[in-house]
Amino acid sequence: MQALTIISAVNDALITEMRRDPSIVTFGEDVGQEGGVFRATVNIQEEFGEQRCFDTPLAESAIVGTAIGMAVAGLKPVVEIQFSGFVYPAFNQIISHVARLRNRTRGALTLPMVIRMPFSGGIRAIEHHSESMEALFAHIPGLKVVIPSTPYDTKGLLIAAMRDPDPVLFMEPKRLYRAFKQEVPEEAYTIPIGKARIVEQGDDLTLISYGAQMKETIEAGHQLQSEGTSVELIDLRTIYPWDKETVLKSVKKTGRILVVHEGPRSFGVAAELISTITSEAFEYLEAPPTRLTGSDIIFPLPTAEKHFLLRTEHIVQVAHEVVRYEP
Amino acid sequence: MFEKFDPRKGKRFQLLNEDGILSAEARKYPMMTDDELLHAFKTMILAREADDWAVSLNRQGRMPTYPPVKGQEANSIGSIMALRQDDWFVQAFRELGGLLIRGVPLSQHYLYFLGNEWGSHYDIDRFHITPISVPIGSQMPHAVGLAYAERYKGNDRVTIAFIGDGGTSTGDFHEAMNFAGVWNSSLIFYVQNNQYAISVQRKKQTASPTIAEKAFAYGFEGVQIDGNDLFAVYAATKLAAEKARKNKGPTLIEGFTYRMGAHTTADDPSRYRDEEEVQQWAQKDPLLRIQKYLIKNKLIQSGEIETLRKEARKTARDAFEEAENYSDESLDNIYRYTFKDMPPILEEQLEKRRILEGEED
């Protein structure tokens, strides 16, 4: 066992799996010599050489587009998009090719590849470095979208993503990159994509989040527990395909649900979860399924990001409304 | 390699002129054997007949929107002839002749345009081909990745990627050129400059006098060739492939050609070009030109050509019938291939759809 942060778990997962699988190559802007602006790929070029870990010209569409060609020819590319706010030039490649190729060729061509990118706010970053736009990707048919929130899950999910026969978008909560350490096994292990994690079991309220927002959500859950509310805390971990079974089972037990995420509200992840819950667990509900999310505004620059981000007390406040609701 | 034909000096590479006369220089360049030449010619006839048949079936309502290849056949036929079967062939969508050279069944090409995904289900290990790419230009970075992977694996396979003149305005074309230059990719960019992107003239795509010269800005050679000259297409591609196979970098080939038909069957070219222009280009028809050469050099008798055409027509009709009789795509299949293993939430959507369609068990 080793105590790792999320960012060192990314690095550890890459190195562990690249030692095992010579078809893996990793590349992007500043990924090679520098080891990535967040150091996710540090020491990889030294160990594996420039053929397997390298810098590319500054062009996201070609980073993803060349990865497509490599995957078709039998490599397993793991590309880094430096910040999720810069992925949009590659959107055409992702939506028109990455997500479609298996189906449009009826399985003749497949794309085992991973697109990694840091996302989310709260690090006082400059413009375009703070957004949480996971819903954009989750809406694309043919794409898996994974978001870890702990070092242990990061390593297991990233290795699972690299072993997945289909393309996986791996969004890393950069606010938590170095927030805490956790014991992580040195050997390779996988955590199944598509499975949520029940962080703590409870009976009165289901509290769901993922990624960076898990930190405040767990804190809020603990505060509610100290007040005597039994909270079931769930880390969704995979946005698509999301773990409906675990979520519905929990809601049927508690009857009350609050979904929390940092990304904008309209047409977001919480909307999908709550719509499904409303249709399929309607008779179990004791309060309106509720969401607490970012607003439909551009992510503010650092001086005002406090007005956008959700704090622990906000979650507690809304959770109180859900728990105390009486028809 | 193409120093004598620097596009920046207004040079265009041609070996066979419009009268079917081969230049005295031609023997200095790679040439097809007579058998290969006849094979290319027969394939060109088949591509032409297959194309005409698709267009006429569209008018009869049996074929949805179809993009004709007529007039451009020499480009993909000559270049794919110049490559090995295991070299990667990245299609745009007007490379029917090249597909036939690879051995792709014509019925499969028809099947795609009849609106069935199995038309893109190529036998990859046999044909080394990527499917038609509808979002213009977006296939170019894929080619760079294919070339990277083959070198990584220690193979000497090269990659050819097709695009049209309109596609050269896209970011992906330029990003791919730039990556290929930096990576010294074993790659041939083949631009079929057919003078129009739907209705927009070539001069409205770029202020550059040629497309070929753009390559020099990315650190490698570009050459403009007569794309209606099968000999020039073959020779240029062969030289570019030999260079690429020795890891001596990519080449941009601009095949100067003409789309004799419409962009697709949904297009009306009379709105943007004169009949006179079309007639002028008809004199440069790649098929007529090679036919003149073959007759002159007694590689074929003029009487045989009508027989070949009839055979090709029958092949096209049979292939279309085969494609048309292909079973309709099933409800299951449109879901089944989204991922290797269908996730529960997708299984459930399929189940619900089955119920709506009255297919539940």
Side-chain angles (χ1 to χ4, degrees), chain B residues 12 69-76 94 163-165 190-196 202 224-229 233 254-260 273 277 281 284-286 289:
Chain B
R12 186 182 299 157
V69 186
K70 189 175 185 173
Q72 297 181 219
E73 297 93 337
N75 293 278
S76 67
R94 242 187 270 275
I163 190 168
D165 44 310
Y190 198 107
V191 180
Q192 293 205 58
N193 172 9
N194 67 12
Q195 315 302 330
Y196 290 91
R202 211 300 271 142
Q224 191 187 61
I225 68 171
D226 182 343
N228 288 7
D229 167 0
V233 174
E254 176 189 355
F256 199 78
T257 186
Y258 194 74
R259 190 189 75 216
M260 287 163 77
R273 67 185 191 189
E277 179 187 290
W281 274 95
K284 302 177 188 174
D285 184 335
R289 198 185 302 193

Side-chain angles (χ1 to χ4, degrees), chain A residues 17-25 48 51-52 74-76, chain B residues 152-153:
Chain A
E17 198 60 3
M18 284 176 79
R19 282 179 185 154
R20 197 190 68 87
D21 182 352
S23 70
I24 297 175
V25 292
F48 299 97
Q51 289 298 103
R52 296 190 66 190
L75 300 189
K76 270 192 196 169
Chain B
Y152 180 89
K153 291 189 283 183

Side-chain angles (χ1 to χ4, degrees), chain A:
Chain A
M1 293 293 244
Q2 45 185 343
L4 298 181
T5 59
I6 286 181
I7 192 69
S8 48
V10 169
N11 184 254
D12 189 56
L14 285 166
I15 290 174
T16 308
E17 198 60 3
M18 284 176 79
R19 282 179 185 154
R20 197 190 68 87
D21 182 352
S23 70
I24 297 175
V25 292
T26 187
F27 56 98
E29 295 154 11
D30 306 291
V31 162
Q33 198 175 358
E34 192 186 37
V37 293
F38 287 104
R39 308 291 178 263
T41 53
V42 75
N43 298 328
I44 294 183
Q45 193 176 70
E46 284 89 331
E47 178 171 346
F48 299 97
E50 265 196 73
Q51 289 298 103
R52 296 190 66 190
C53 176
F54 51 94
D55 297 320
T56 65
L58 201 162
E60 286 78 9
S61 183
I63 291 171
V64 174
T66 54
I68 292 169
M70 291 180 202
V72 164
L75 300 189
K76 270 192 196 169
V78 181
V79 302
E80 177 177 298
I81 298 294
Q82 200 161 73
F83 287 88
S84 64
F86 302 145
V87 72
Y88 308 114
F91 213 77
N92 187 35
Q93 291 294 339
I94 293 171
I95 196 164
S96 301
H97 295 293
V98 173
R100 295 176 59 89
L101 200 62
R102 177 189 285 277
N103 200 351
R104 74 182 287 255
T105 64
R106 291 294 185 260
L109 295 175
T110 61
L111 293 179
M113 61 183 277
V114 180
I115 302 171
R116 295 180 37 243
M117 60 177 102
F119 82 111
S120 80
I123 60 158
R124 304 186 59 77
I126 60 166
E127 215 170 351
H128 304 289
H129 289 66
S130 299
E131 289 72 15
S132 296
M133 302 305 281
E134 62 277 9
L136 289 182
F137 299 101
H139 194 65
I140 301 172
L143 211 56
K144 293 179 182 175
V145 181
V146 173
I147 300 180
S149 74
T150 68
Y152 182 85
D153 283 358
T154 297
K155 181 170 179 179
L157 284 167
L158 185 51
I159 291 178
M162 288 188 270
R163 293 182 187 179
D164 200 279
D166 288 300
V168 178
L169 206 75
F170 197 82
M171 300 181 75
E172 299 163 7
K174 63 177 172 295
R175 184 160 81 237
L176 299 186
Y177 262 163
R178 294 185 167 81
F180 63 98
K181 287 185 176 180
Q182 188 182 25
E183 290 293 316
V184 173
E186 285 178 31
E187 66 274 14
Y189 61 92
T190 58
I191 290 171
I193 291 171
K195 290 275 177 237
R197 177 170 64 99
I198 299 177
V199 182
E200 279 167 33
Q201 297 200 339
D203 299 315
D204 302 334
L205 170 71
T206 299
L207 190 51
I208 301 182
S209 192
Y210 53 86
Q213 200 69 68
M214 268 325 283
K215 182 172 174 289
E216 294 79 13
T217 304
I218 289 171
E219 283 168 8
H222 288 166
Q223 196 174 320
L224 291 160
Q225 276 155 353
S226 71
E227 296 167 2
T229 305
S230 172
V231 179
E232 182 135 303
L233 276 163
I234 295 179
D235 179 353
L236 202 58
R237 294 199 296 199
T238 296
I239 308 303
Y240 192 93
W242 67 282
D243 186 355
K244 192 172 131 179
E245 190 188 353
T246 296
V247 171
L248 282 181
K249 198 173 159 200
S250 178
V251 178
K252 286 176 181 174
K253 178 172 65 172
T254 63
R256 293 171 197 265
I257 181 157
L258 174 60
V259 185
V260 183
H261 63 62
E262 194 172 313
R265 173 165 316 176
S266 297
F267 308 98
V269 175
E272 177 60 31
L273 263 62
I274 288 173
S275 170
T276 304
I277 289 161
T278 309
S279 296
E280 299 185 33
F282 188 70
E283 61 272 33
Y284 296 88
L285 293 174
E286 292 165 29
T290 303
R291 57 184 158 161
L292 176 61
T293 69
S295 296
D296 300 349
I297 56 174
I298 61 167
F299 196 95
L301 290 177
T303 54
E305 73 178 343
K306 62 179 182 291
H307 297 312
F308 187 95
L309 293 171
L310 301 170
R311 297 196 295 275
T312 305
E313 62 265 33
H314 300 150
I315 302 171
V316 171
Q317 194 182 324
V318 177
H320 280 156
E321 293 169 21
V322 178
V323 171
R324 291 168 190 167
Y325 178 88
E326 282 176 43

Side-chain angles (χ1 to χ4, degrees), chain A residues 57-63 65-66 93, chain B residues 90 137-145 147 161-163 167-168 170-189 215 218 220 250-252:
Chain A
L58 201 162
E60 286 78 9
S61 183
I63 291 171
T66 54
Q93 291 294 339
Chain B
V90 175
S138 62
Q139 71 278 14
M140 303 317 265
H142 308 169
V144 185
F162 288 89
I163 190 168
T168 67
T170 64
D172 274 338
F173 171 71
H174 292 276
E175 291 189 14
M177 295 268 284
N178 187 45
F179 271 55
V182 174
W183 293 356
N184 193 40
S185 304
S186 296
L187 185 60
I188 301 159
F189 293 96
Y218 295 104
F220 56 92
T251 307
L252 170 64

Side-chain angles (χ1 to χ4, degrees), chain B residues 195-331:
Chain B
Q195 315 302 330
Y196 290 91
I198 305 190
S199 68
V200 179
Q201 292 169 37
R202 211 300 271 142
K203 67 179 181 197
K204 289 184 180 171
Q205 292 295 339
T206 173
S208 178
T210 68
I211 291 167
E213 68 195 83
K214 291 173 189 280
F216 295 92
Y218 295 104
F220 56 92
E221 270 184 310
V223 62
Q224 191 187 61
I225 68 171
D226 182 343
N228 288 7
D229 167 0
L230 189 65
F231 283 83
V233 174
Y234 180 86
T237 311
K238 195 84 178 172
L239 291 172
E242 282 167 8
K243 182 174 91 174
R245 237 182 273 290
K246 291 179 198 147
N247 291 341
K248 290 185 175 169
T251 307
L252 170 64
I253 299 175
E254 176 189 355
F256 199 78
T257 186
Y258 194 74
R259 190 189 75 216
M260 287 163 77
H263 163 67
T264 68
T265 45
D267 167 43
D268 172 12
S270 71
R271 291 181 63 84
Y272 53 83
R273 67 185 191 189
D274 298 334
E275 187 52 30
E276 196 186 333
E277 179 187 290
V278 180
Q279 286 313 315
Q280 276 170 10
W281 274 95
Q283 306 305 311
K284 302 177 188 174
D285 184 335
L287 184 58
L288 285 180
R289 198 185 302 193
I290 197 74
Q291 195 172 298
K292 284 178 194 163
Y293 171 85
L294 292 172
I295 292 170
K296 239 173 239 160
N297 290 276
K298 303 199 173 10
L299 288 166
I300 203 161
Q301 290 173 351
S302 54
E304 288 174 69
I305 291 169
E306 194 43 45
T307 314
L308 287 174
R309 226 177 257 140
K310 271 186 197 149
E311 283 170 13
R313 234 169 274 160
K314 181 169 184 332
T315 305
R317 279 159 173 71
D318 291 348
F320 189 83
E321 208 163 295
E322 190 188 333
E324 215 176 25
N325 291 334
Y326 201 85
S327 57
D328 278 348
E329 189 55 336
S330 69
L331 170 61

